[in-house]
Structures are given as structure tokens and as C-alpha cells.
């Protein structure tokens, strides 16, 4: 009797999934009500399994156009597995998302290129120490992440983030060269590619949203004189002419 009931529920689930596959994504989303995280979709087309949106916003900020493919077989397991691609002007972000709640998500195969100047205001809200820095930034962020996750094991990431054509400063950004952050779980390593800024450093995360950053910075001979003057605000250099920077805190949720 129990086995027959399980079979019946399985075939009912298959029937409902097949039925939903024929429904327009816009109609299904209108039934679902507001999306979590302050996300809104506009110009929705296709089906719920293979759809698109001309515009996506999160907390009032435009993220660009979205395409997605949702696996129907993940829903009975209490999660959503989807492949996505975001496009905005000359920026893009693509990967695979497994989502099972606001605090339970896992990204894999993440590849993208974003303009740091657009991300800078949000980063400053996430990291209070950045909010106090009246500097401008330029350059592109290139993402190559095998994993970026937040779940019961806490935040973690594996892969590399490159800051290409990096520039930062006030009132005008100063050229820094190409910089990178190599991530391995909850640890990261900062490095430079031989440009105006010499950079070495580490990043550590804990399971509760905390972080600690340590950096050693110096201006190479090819750097603009203003870069050395800016680094002097960090204090006195060590015996090798490097300036030390440390920061620790908790990532915000804004």
C-alpha cells in the first residue's frame, strides 16, 4: 500500500511538472508573488524552466538582462537548481546556482566580468571599513570561481578574482596595475602582476561572516609619485619599504 502511494505521488509530481512546463514564466512568477532578496523581473518571457527577463533589479539596482534554465527535478528535493547568465552593457556573469533558502545557496562554474566602479557603492555598504574611504576606483573584475557558497558550513570560495587595470585614489584614481585574489575555501592570497603597486597579503573568513585582511604594499619605481604619498597615510614603512594594512570585521547584509 505504501509503495503504491509513493508511486502515485511520483507520477503526480511528474504530471504537475509537465503541466507547469507549458505555462509562461510571467504567469508563474505572478502567482508566486514577490521574489526574495528584493529581486524584481521585468519583460519576462519563455517558460519557468527556460526563461528570460529583459531587466532584473535587486534592491532597486539594475543587474541587466537575465536568461535561465531551471531543473524541474530539483524542486521535489526542496531546492532550485538553475543555470543563469546576466548581461549588462559590456558586463556579464554566468554560472550554476543551487538555492534552498536565503541563507543556503551554492554557485559553481562562476565566470564573469564586471566594472568595479559600479560595484563600489555596494561593497562600501557591505564592508564598513570601506565606507570611510573617500576614494574613487576604476578597472574590471574578472571572476573565475569553481565555487562560491553559503550554507551550514559557512561562507567559502574556490577560484580567482582578477582586478584588471586597477586604479584607486582621491580625488582621481591612481594606476595600480593588475591585481589578484586567489581563494581557497576560507583563505585567500593577494598578489600583483608587476605593475606600479607591489602587493602581498592574505584574507581569512570564518563561518559567521567575519573576515580579516592583512596586506603589505609598496610603490615601485614605475609608479606615479602620488602613489607613494598616498601609501604614507598608512603609517611608517618597514625595513623593506613596505606599508602594512590590516582590517577585520563582519560582512554587512545590506
Amino acid at each position: 500500500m505504501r509503495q503504491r502511494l509513493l508511486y502515485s505521488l511520483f507520477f503526480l509530481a511528474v504530471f504537475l511538472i509537465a503541466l507547469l512546463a507549458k505555462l509562461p514564466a510571467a504567469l508563474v512568477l505572478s502567482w508566486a508573488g514577490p521574489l526574495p532578496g528584493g529581486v524584481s523581473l521585468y519583460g519576462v518571457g519563455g517558460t519557468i524552466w527556460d526563461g528570460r527577463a529583459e531587466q532584473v533589479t535587486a534592491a532597486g539596482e539594475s543587474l541587466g538582462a537575465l536568461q535561465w534554465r531551471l531543473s524541474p527535478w530539483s524542486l521535489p528535493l526542496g531546492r532550485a537548481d538553475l543555470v543563469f547568465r546576466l548581461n549588462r552593457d559590456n558586463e556579464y556573469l554566468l554560472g550554476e546556482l543551487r538555492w534552498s533558502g536565503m541563507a543556503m545557496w551554492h554557485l559553481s562554474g562562476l565566470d564573469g566580468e564586471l566594472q568595479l566602479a559600479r560595484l563600489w557603492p555596494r561593497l562600501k555598504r557591505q564592508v564598513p571599513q570601506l565606507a570611510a574611504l573617500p576614494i574613487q576606483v576604476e578597472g574590471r573584475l574578472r571572476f573565475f570561481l569553481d565555487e562560491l557558497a553559503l550554507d551550514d558550513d559557512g561562507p567559502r570560495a574556490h577560484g580567482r578574482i582578477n582586478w584588471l587595470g586597477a586604479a584607486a585614489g582621491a580625488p582621481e584614481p591612481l594606476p595600480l596595475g593588475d591585481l589578484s585574489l586567489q581563494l581557497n575555501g576560507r583563505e585567500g592570497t593577494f598578489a600583483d602582476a608587476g605593475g606600479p603597486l607591489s602587493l602581498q597579503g592574505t584574507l581569512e573568513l570564518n563561518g559567521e561572516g567575519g573576515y580579516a585582511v592583512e596586506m603589505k604594499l609598496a610603490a615601485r619605481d614605475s609608479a606615479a609619485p602620488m602613489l607613494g604619498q598616498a601609501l604614507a597615510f598608512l603609517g611608517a614603512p618597514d625595513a623593506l619599504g613596505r606599508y602594512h594594512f590590516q582590517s577585520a570585521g563582519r560582512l554587512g547584509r545590506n
Side-chain angles (χ1 to χ4, degrees):
M1 180 67 178
R2 182 179 180 183
Q3 188 176 26
R4 288 166 55 186
L5 177 60
L6 290 176
Y7 279 136
S8 298
L9 291 175
F10 172 77
F11 286 114
L12 177 60
V14 172
F15 171 76
L16 291 175
I17 289 173
L19 180 63
L20 284 173
K22 303 295 185 180
L23 294 177
L27 180 60
V28 177
L29 290 172
S30 68
W31 291 345
L35 296 174
V39 175
S40 298
L41 305 182
Y42 303 94
V44 177
T47 68
I48 195 66
W49 311 119
D50 190 356
R52 62 189 181 277
E54 295 178 1
Q55 190 67 245
V56 182
T57 63
E61 180 181 350
S62 174
L63 302 181
L66 171 67
Q67 294 176 297
W68 76 84
R69 292 199 314 272
L70 174 63
S71 169
W73 309 113
S74 63
L75 300 183
L77 301 177
R79 66 173 193 257
D81 294 351
L82 61 88
V83 177
F84 71 92
R85 181 182 180 100
L86 278 166
N87 290 285
R88 180 178 64 177
D89 298 333
N90 295 322
E91 301 174 302
Y92 73 94
L93 191 66
L94 59 89
E96 299 181 18
L97 169 66
R98 172 171 294 179
W99 181 79
S100 55
M102 287 302 295
M104 299 285 288
W105 51 265
H106 182 279
L107 287 163
S108 59
L110 194 65
D111 181 9
E113 181 170 329
L114 304 174
Q115 297 295 326
L116 182 56
R118 281 182 164 177
L119 288 176
W120 187 240
R122 178 171 289 273
L123 287 173
K124 294 180 74 170
R125 292 196 297 269
Q126 291 285 331
V127 183
Q129 286 80 356
L130 294 180
L133 299 178
I135 64 174
Q136 304 295 321
V137 297
E138 292 180 354
R140 311 186 318 278
L141 292 183
R142 283 290 283 119
F143 296 88
F144 304 96
L145 297 177
D146 297 323
E147 178 187 45
L148 177 62
L150 178 64
D151 53 28
D152 291 336
D153 295 328
R156 62 190 181 280
H158 291 85
R160 188 179 184 89
I161 302 175
N162 294 331
W163 183 5
L164 304 178
E172 297 294 332
L174 299 172
L176 305 177
D178 293 341
L179 310 176
S180 66
L181 172 60
Q182 183 71 40
L183 294 161
N184 184 20
R186 294 181 185 164
E187 298 180 350
T189 303
F190 294 97
D192 68 85
L197 179 69
S198 170
L199 170 65
Q200 295 177 321
T202 59
L203 166 69
E204 293 186 3
L205 302 173
N206 63 35
E208 300 178 351
Y211 69 89
V213 173
E214 293 188 9
M215 293 183 179
K216 297 176 182 178
L217 309 101
R220 290 194 170 93
D221 293 340
S222 60
M226 287 291 294
L227 180 57
Q229 298 172 20
L231 291 176
F233 283 99
L234 296 176
D238 62 18
L240 298 177
R242 301 173 303 184
Y243 295 88
H244 292 236
F245 172 81
Q246 293 182 331
S247 179
R250 289 178 57 84
L251 296 174
R253 297 183 179 275
N254 298 328

